[in-house]
Amino acid sequence: MFRAISALVTVSSLLIVAVVGWADEPAKNVTATEVRATELAKAVKDQKGKVVLIDCWATWCAPCVKKFPHLVELHKKYSEKGLVCVSLSMDKFGDEDAYKQEKILKFLKEKGAVFPNFIVTEPKKDEEALMKLLGDFSAIPYMVMFDRTGRKVWASDEMKLTDEQLDKKIEEQLAEKP
């Protein structure tokens, strides 16, 4: 009887270790790259043939933090169908002295953001170029979508969408062929 219980405890312990290790695995694949506007534009252009959804956010923005899990859900739901979710941290648009890349990376790992994550590295120098690429992102959270040809087709400052409406918009774009 003792051996059976001991064996059961050992197997249970191994399963727990395996599940906990597996749960941490996606977080290991989360990275955050500092970029200038030209590098971000190239990253979007490199996704030609896919629908790209960029979420502009910051760790100091409570509404951004609250909304971010929906981006992760969109990635899980639509990445296999051709959606590329991109997070763009605007943390340096706040207090640049308070900026900590580790804080952003910790947040992204906690949320399971296993998609391209970028941090605007020169916000003041690149503001005009970012406006040209993304639109008026001055009020975050801000999202922008590019179709399969790389053309901007929606931005949250132009039309507010509920989560359900955003899902529908994504589905419409994914249904279109380039």
Side-chain angles (χ1 to χ4, degrees), residues 90-103:
M90 306 300 235
D91 274 50
K92 283 190 170 187
F93 274 94
D95 180 2
E96 281 193 61
D97 293 334
Y99 165 75
K100 300 241 183 309
Q101 185 175 3
E102 304 80 36
K103 181 179 180 182

Side-chain angles (χ1 to χ4, degrees), residues 22-63:
W22 177 78
D24 288 342
E25 194 61 35
K28 292 179 184 175
N29 297 323
V30 175
T31 60
T33 307
E34 291 187 339
V35 294
R36 299 284 311 263
T38 53
E39 295 162 314
L40 179 64
K42 182 182 179 327
V44 171
K45 187 178 178 182
D46 287 348
Q47 297 301 325
K48 197 166 191 169
K50 298 191 180 208
V51 175
V52 178
L53 180 65
I54 300 176
D55 181 16
C56 301
W57 66 282
T59 57
W60 45 259
C61 167

Side-chain angles (χ1 to χ4, degrees), residues 36-90:
R36 299 284 311 263
T38 53
E39 295 162 314
L40 179 64
K42 182 182 179 327
V44 171
K45 187 178 178 182
D46 287 348
Q47 297 301 325
K48 197 166 191 169
K50 298 191 180 208
V51 175
V52 178
L53 180 65
I54 300 176
D55 181 16
C56 301
W57 66 282
T59 57
W60 45 259
C61 167
C64 299
V65 169
K66 183 179 178 183
K67 204 155 181 52
F68 196 88
H70 188 240
L71 184 69
V72 175
E73 289 304 314
L74 291 172
H75 167 74
K76 289 176 184 174
K77 187 174 181 179
Y78 297 113
S79 65
E80 296 287 320
K81 297 175 183 175
L83 177 70
V84 176
C85 291
V86 175
S87 83
L88 182 62
S89 169
M90 306 300 235

Side-chain angles (χ1 to χ4, degrees), residues 98-140:
Y99 165 75
K100 300 241 183 309
Q101 185 175 3
E102 304 80 36
K103 181 179 180 182
I104 295 166
L105 192 55
K106 181 179 185 248
F107 173 83
L108 293 169
K109 285 181 177 186
E110 286 172 357
K111 299 302 178 199
V114 290
F115 40 76
N117 298 291
F118 298 107
I119 302 166
V120 176
T121 190
E122 295 283 346
K124 290 179 177 84
K125 290 180 182 175
D126 286 349
E127 190 166 6
E128 188 176 320
L130 288 168
M131 287 279 208
K132 185 176 178 185
L133 174 66
L134 304 172
D136 186 5
F137 60 86
S138 58
I140 57 173

Side-chain angles (χ1 to χ4, degrees), residues 10-23:
T10 302
V11 169
S12 297
S13 298
L14 289 173
L15 285 174
I16 290 169
V17 169
V19 169
V20 170
W22 177 78

